[in-house]
């Protein structure tokens, strides 16, 4: 196994080194240790508070590699950092107003200040021993996944950033792992970008793909993997064509690259089956211009416009709101709303009768681990699940503790040193 390159994470080294992202009490601890000239070596371990799929360790290592250490002159570094922040604000303002001369001026000044700040930095990475599991590994509650041995002055200011860098993707990976296992061998599409701040997309997408998701919806989600986001057509496109799903699909087909599978969103009119047929009829009309698309003609030829490539429909996505019932659903009661089992069964039955057995069905809207398990238990003909906000509901905390000091056990009551023997050393 290999680890991701530290440069991939775009670590904001100046901010982390100076403590911008650090809980204030850790900065005070650092100041105390330097003022007291304390010479000690501690053993420091990180562990999840629940069973989890661990992720974010490569980023934590990147933070340690670039930000463990100290400034040789803290007062001078603080002054330079304030100058750097002002230069960055000025640069952002000039960029927003597209003032080219000011952009060059402040970019040069920012680079100069950053160089002087870096010259004050003394790296501590080579004086640490770091042991870490690999991203994507399952870990039990309280199992050590990262351990650091060294002078605490070199890394005490990093605890806040390290914990967050592991906790967020671990929570995402653990949630994705659950739905992947529930749906297996069917695909999970990670459609969660819109439910949190865009700065987190790269981290979340990396964790989702590491946990087995088939695809992610934004290029930022896919950034660490060097791939691109994927996606079906949205309701937004249909709205731009006055609610005409068929015309929206034809526009999508005309202008989107031919190697992108055409997956139509068919719930705009709350008639997933009827809308799917309408789209297929429009595609047949393009294939057979001037031909009347009668019922018999449709049944004989509909399968010809199902599949991959331009002029064809690869699949349909059902995203019916949980507060309404699709027109084709006859049942009543709470379980008949939204994307329900009856809707999927009816749709598949119709597709088969049309000669479109290979038309894929993607479902989304309100799906979580339990709903996927229900669909799979019922053996419903779903080909992929799109999952959104449910993947962010469960959080997994990561905790860090000193467990040794100068080679001797040193921990608060209730804690113990974990088993570090299975953790590879990071060089």
């Amino acid at each position: 196994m290999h680890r991701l390159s530290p440069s991939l994470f775009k670590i904001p080294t100046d901010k982390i080194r100076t403590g911008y992202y650090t809980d204030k009490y850790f900065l005070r601890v650092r100041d105390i240790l330097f003022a007291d000239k304390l010479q000690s070596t501690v053993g420091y371990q990180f562990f999840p508070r629940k069973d989890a799929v661990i992720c974010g360790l490569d980023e934590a290592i990147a933070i340690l590699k670039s930000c463990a250490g100290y400034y040789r002159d803290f007062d001078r570094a603080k002054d330079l950092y304030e100058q750097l922040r002002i230069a960055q604000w000025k640069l952002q303002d000039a960029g927003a107003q597209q003032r080219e001369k000011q952009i060059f001026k402040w970019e040069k000044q920012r680079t100069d200040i950053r160089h002087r700040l870096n010259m004050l930095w003394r790296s501590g990475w080579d004086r640490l021993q770091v042991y870490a599991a690999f991203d994507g590994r399952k870990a039990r509650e309280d199992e050590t996944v990262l351990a650091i041995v060294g002078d605490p002055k070199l890394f005490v200011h990093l605890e806040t950033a390290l914990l967050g860098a592991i906790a967020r993707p671990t929570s995402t990976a653990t949630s994705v792992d659950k739905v992947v296992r529930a749906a297996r061998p069917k695909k999970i599409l990670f459609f969660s970008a819109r439910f949190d701040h865009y700065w987190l997309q790269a981290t979340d997408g990396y964790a989702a793909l590491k946990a087995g998701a088939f695809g992610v919806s934004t290029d930022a989600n896919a950034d660490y993997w060097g791939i691109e986001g994927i996606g079906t057509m949205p309701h937004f496109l249909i709205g731009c064509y006055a609610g005409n799903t068929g015309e929206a699909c034809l526009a999508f087909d005309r202008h989107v690259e031919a190697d992108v599978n055409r997956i139509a969103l068919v719930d705009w009119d709350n008639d997933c089956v009827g809308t799917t047929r309408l789209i297929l009829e429009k595609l047949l009309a393009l294939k057979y211009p001037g031909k009347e698309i009668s019922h018999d003609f449709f049944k004989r030829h509909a399968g010809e416009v199902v599949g991959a490539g331009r002029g064809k429909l690869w699949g349909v996505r059902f995203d019916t709101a949980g507060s309404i019932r699709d027109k084709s659903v006859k049942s009543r009661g709470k379980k008949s709303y939204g994307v329900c089992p009856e809707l999927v069964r009816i749709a598949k039955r119709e597709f088969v009768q049309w000669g479109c057995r290979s038309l894929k069905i993607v479902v989304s809207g309100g799906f979580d681990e339990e709903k996927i398990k229900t669909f799979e238990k019922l053996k419903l003909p779903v080909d992929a699940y799109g999952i959104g906000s449910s993947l962010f509901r469960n959080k997994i905390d990561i905790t860090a503790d000193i467990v040794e000091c100068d080679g001797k056990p040193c921990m608060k009551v209730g804690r113990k040193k974990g088993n570090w023997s299975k953790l590879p050393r990071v060089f």
Side-chain angles (χ1 to χ4, degrees):
M1 299 180 71
H2 69 279
R3 301 190 189 276
L4 297 178
S5 168
S7 61
L8 196 65
F9 297 102
K10 309 173 186 69
I11 302 297
T13 54
D14 303 312
K15 290 183 176 180
I16 293 180
R17 287 173 178 177
T18 54
Y20 180 75
Y21 292 113
T22 303
D23 291 314
K24 187 62 70 174
Y25 50 69
F26 287 122
L27 298 181
R28 289 174 177 150
V29 170
R30 180 193 61 187
D31 293 344
I32 291 168
L33 297 181
F34 273 99
D36 239 12
K37 299 181 180 179
L38 183 69
Q39 297 298 319
S40 64
T41 298
V42 300
Y44 187 53
Q45 67 182 19
F46 293 70
F47 54 91
R49 304 310 300 265
K50 298 179 184 177
D51 293 354
V53 175
I54 294 296
C55 208
L57 293 172
D58 285 1
E59 185 168 6
I61 291 167
I63 291 171
L64 283 165
K65 285 184 175 181
S66 59
C67 301
Y70 58 92
Y71 286 109
R72 288 181 285 110
D73 184 335
F74 280 111
D75 291 335
R76 178 61 178 151
K78 183 178 180 181
D79 179 60
L80 284 171
Y81 179 66
E82 288 304 315
Q83 293 180 40
L84 179 63
R85 292 185 69 184
I86 291 171
Q88 289 173 331
W89 291 333
K90 296 288 187 180
L91 177 61
Q92 290 168 0
D93 184 59
Q97 299 184 46
Q98 298 184 353
R99 295 181 301 179
E100 188 171 323
K101 289 183 178 179
Q102 292 295 308
I103 290 173
F104 286 127
K105 171 188 174 181
W106 290 109
E107 179 63 58
K108 183 178 183 300
Q109 188 158 336
R110 182 178 70 165
T111 301
D112 177 64
I113 297 169
R114 179 168 285 154
H115 172 70
R116 286 185 282 157
L117 194 57
N118 286 338
M119 292 300 291
L120 290 175
W121 181 253
R122 179 167 291 179
S123 175
W125 169 254
D126 290 339
R127 285 173 278 173
L128 299 179
Q129 296 176 38
V130 177
Y131 306 85
F134 285 97
D135 282 344
R137 201 198 86 179
K138 292 184 179 179
R140 305 294 294 178
E141 178 182 350
D142 296 339
E143 179 181 349
T144 303
V145 296
L146 172 67
I148 305 168
V149 179
D151 185 341
K153 295 193 294 294
L154 302 175
F155 58 86
V156 60
H157 61 291
L158 301 180
E159 176 166 319
T160 310
L162 293 172
L163 290 173
I166 303 170
R168 173 65 186 217
T170 291
S171 298
T172 302
T174 303
S175 294
V176 172
D177 176 70
K178 290 178 180 179
V179 296
V180 166
R181 286 189 285 112
R184 190 172 288 137
K186 297 173 183 178
K187 296 179 175 64
I188 292 294
L189 305 177
F190 184 78
F191 289 167
S192 301
R194 70 187 62 187
F195 298 106
D196 218 325
H197 198 282
Y198 60 86
W199 278 358
L200 296 167
Q201 287 185 24
T203 296
D204 286 330
Y206 169 69
L209 290 167
K210 197 72 177 178
F214 173 76
V216 292
S217 64
T218 74
D219 290 344
N221 280 155
D223 185 53
Y224 294 171
W225 294 89
I227 58 177
E228 295 182 352
I230 62 174
T232 65
M233 58 181 287
H235 290 112
F236 192 99
L237 180 63
I238 301 170
C240 292
Y241 284 83
N244 189 322
T245 302
E247 290 302 314
C249 286
L250 293 184
F252 187 100
D253 185 57
R254 282 194 301 270
H255 301 295
V256 174
E257 297 87 344
D259 61 349
V260 174
N261 288 331
R262 275 67 174 142
I263 303 175
L265 189 55
V266 292
D267 62 277
W268 180 277
D269 294 309
N270 196 37
D271 184 9
C272 290
V273 175
T275 300
T276 301
R277 175 157 183 155
L278 173 67
I279 296 167
L280 292 170
E281 288 176 349
K282 285 184 174 291
L283 291 172
L284 281 173
L286 289 177
K287 183 177 176 66
Y288 296 97
K291 181 71 177 179
E292 180 185 353
I293 310 299
S294 65
H295 179 72
D296 289 340
F297 183 86
F298 177 82
K299 290 189 70 174
R300 288 198 305 272
H301 296 280
E304 297 173 13
V305 291
V306 172
R310 199 179 300 282
K312 292 187 176 183
L313 186 63
W314 185 86
V316 290
R317 177 159 71 96
F318 303 161
D319 194 48
T320 308
S323 59
I324 58 177
R325 184 186 295 113
D326 185 271
K327 290 179 180 178
S328 65
V329 175
K330 306 303 179 185
S331 300
R332 293 294 181 266
K334 184 177 180 181
K335 294 183 179 180
S336 64
Y337 288 91
V339 182
C340 63
E342 184 179 345
L343 171 59
V344 176
R345 287 198 190 99
I346 290 171
K348 189 64 176 184
R349 185 169 65 242
E350 291 294 314
F351 298 168
V352 171
Q353 290 177 357
W354 300 343
C356 302
R357 182 183 294 274
S358 62
L359 185 63
K360 308 298 183 184
I361 296 177
V362 180
V363 294
S364 60
F367 278 85
D368 55 16
E369 180 188 7
E370 293 307 313
K371 189 170 182 178
I372 291 174
K373 284 182 176 179
T374 298
F375 269 49
E376 290 303 299
K377 185 177 181 180
L378 295 172
K379 301 185 184 304
L380 295 173
V382 170
D383 294 284
Y385 295 91
I387 316 293
S389 62
S390 68
L391 296 175
F392 292 155
R393 290 175 189 162
N394 296 317
K395 302 295 183 183
I396 295 179
D397 294 338
I398 304 295
T399 296
D401 278 325
I402 287 178
V403 292
E404 289 181 343
C405 185
D406 294 328
K408 298 179 180 178
C410 176
M411 63 209 73
K412 75 174 187 177
V413 174
R415 295 282 197 258
K416 63 179 180 180
K417 182 181 177 181
N419 181 4
W420 297 10
S421 63
K422 295 181 180 180
L423 299 179
R425 175 134 181 220
V426 183
F427 292 98

